[in-house]
Amino acid sequence: MAEEVILLDFWCSMYGMRARIALAEKGVNYEYKEEDLKNKSPLLLQMNPIHKKIPVLIHNGKSICESLVIVQYIDDVWKGNGNLLIPSDPYEKAQAWFWSDYMDNTVHEYARKTWATKGEEQEQEQAVKDFLGGLQLIEGVLGDKPYFGGDNFGFLDVSLIGYYSWFLAYETFGKFNVESECPKLISWVKRCLERDSVSKALPDSEKVREFVQNLRKKFGLE
């Protein structure tokens, strides 16, 4: 019996990009279903009744929620396909989870403030400073390695690369440049974009910038 794999997602979600990249890295065929986050589908509400958020992976009728959990699930289920994404070394695995969590729960909030701050120049400047400081810490973890896991593209690369598609929006409204502050990180981005799994999963940065500009108008920030 053929496997049923469905991904409920939203086009510019950096969390959904993780699932798309992991599925592509493993060569898994799946059905993509774009969600309207203002009018969530009955399927999304059924499959993620706790948080009611994307992404949700549905595998043979069973749902897996939360993007990092999804990546680990994909790596476990399709272990024989492609490279392992999750580090086998317990310490490296712990570090990968730690820095993924740091990006999602700390740096991401600084990033949001770079474009979502209204008329509070000092607060926005602090957000930019904090955001770049967070990226510099992550750049330090990368060091001179090709990828975060060393020579092989892996879990932390999958976890972080989706944020790049939002950099242009952050830079535009926060008035800064990531590459001038974190050149090694942007070099890593360029290496990641050479992979089909990444280049096909990440949306156009200009389109994301327009999306953020519309959000700013909606929230009365312009």
Side-chain angles (χ1 to χ4, degrees):
M1 185 177 75
E3 287 189 304
E4 178 192 53
V5 184
I6 300 169
L7 180 64
L8 308 183
D9 199 358
F10 182 65
W11 69 275
C12 64
S13 167
M14 62 276 288
Y15 306 118
M17 292 175 214
R18 293 169 173 170
R20 287 174 243 165
I21 293 168
L23 288 165
E25 283 287 325
K26 293 294 185 174
V28 179
N29 293 319
Y30 66 98
E31 180 182 356
Y32 179 91
K33 292 191 175 183
E34 179 78 4
E35 282 289 330
D36 178 356
L37 299 185
K38 297 176 186 175
N39 184 26
K40 296 173 183 177
S41 72
L43 183 59
L44 174 60
L45 300 178
Q46 175 191 349
M47 291 295 173
N48 190 359
I50 304 299
H51 298 301
K52 304 176 177 63
K53 294 179 178 179
I54 53 89
V56 176
L57 184 72
I58 305 171
H59 183 207
N60 292 335
K62 297 178 179 179
S63 63
I64 303 91
C65 306
E66 298 297 316
S67 62
L68 296 178
V69 176
I70 290 171
V71 173
Q72 178 159 344
Y73 180 86
I74 291 168
D75 202 40
D76 287 341
V77 171
W78 291 281
K79 196 175 289 289
N81 299 23
N83 292 326
L84 286 176
L85 299 174
I86 308 295
S88 57
D89 179 81
Y91 177 76
E92 291 179 4
K93 183 189 298 184
Q95 289 298 298
W97 275 95
F98 174 85
W99 288 108
S100 297
D101 181 79
Y102 175 68
M103 188 69 184
D104 287 355
N105 294 306
T106 302
V107 183
H108 189 198
E109 180 59 21
Y110 300 146
R112 188 191 64 79
K113 288 181 178 179
T114 65
W115 64 265
T117 303
K118 181 178 180 180
E120 298 166 354
E121 188 172 330
Q122 188 173 356
E123 184 179 344
Q124 187 180 48
E125 288 176 356
Q126 185 63 49
V128 170
K129 182 180 178 180
D130 290 339
F131 175 62
L132 289 173
L135 289 187
Q136 286 164 350
L137 280 177
I138 289 171
E139 185 180 55
V141 176
L142 175 66
D144 295 318
K145 302 188 297 291
Y147 300 106
F148 281 95
D151 292 331
N152 295 321
F153 181 82
F155 179 76
L156 194 49
D157 303 291
V158 174
S159 174
L160 300 181
I161 189 60
Y163 280 95
Y164 168 71
S165 59
W166 285 70
F167 278 9
L168 178 61
Y170 302 153
E171 292 171 329
T172 299
F173 302 110
K175 300 179 177 62
F176 64 96
N177 181 267
V178 173
E179 186 166 16
S180 64
E181 302 292 338
C182 303
K184 288 183 179 180
L185 197 64
I186 297 302
S187 294
W188 162 79
V189 166
K190 292 174 182 177
R191 283 190 291 276
C192 291
L193 287 170
E194 293 174 357
R195 306 179 74 85
D196 283 348
S197 63
V198 175
S199 62
K200 292 178 180 178
L202 267 58
D204 179 69
S205 294
E206 177 59 30
K207 188 177 176 184
V208 176
R209 188 200 65 77
E210 292 172 1
F211 174 76
V212 173
Q213 187 163 26
N214 287 332
L215 286 179
R216 284 172 56 84
K217 291 177 181 176
K218 176 183 175 182
F219 298 148
L221 301 175
E222 292 192 352

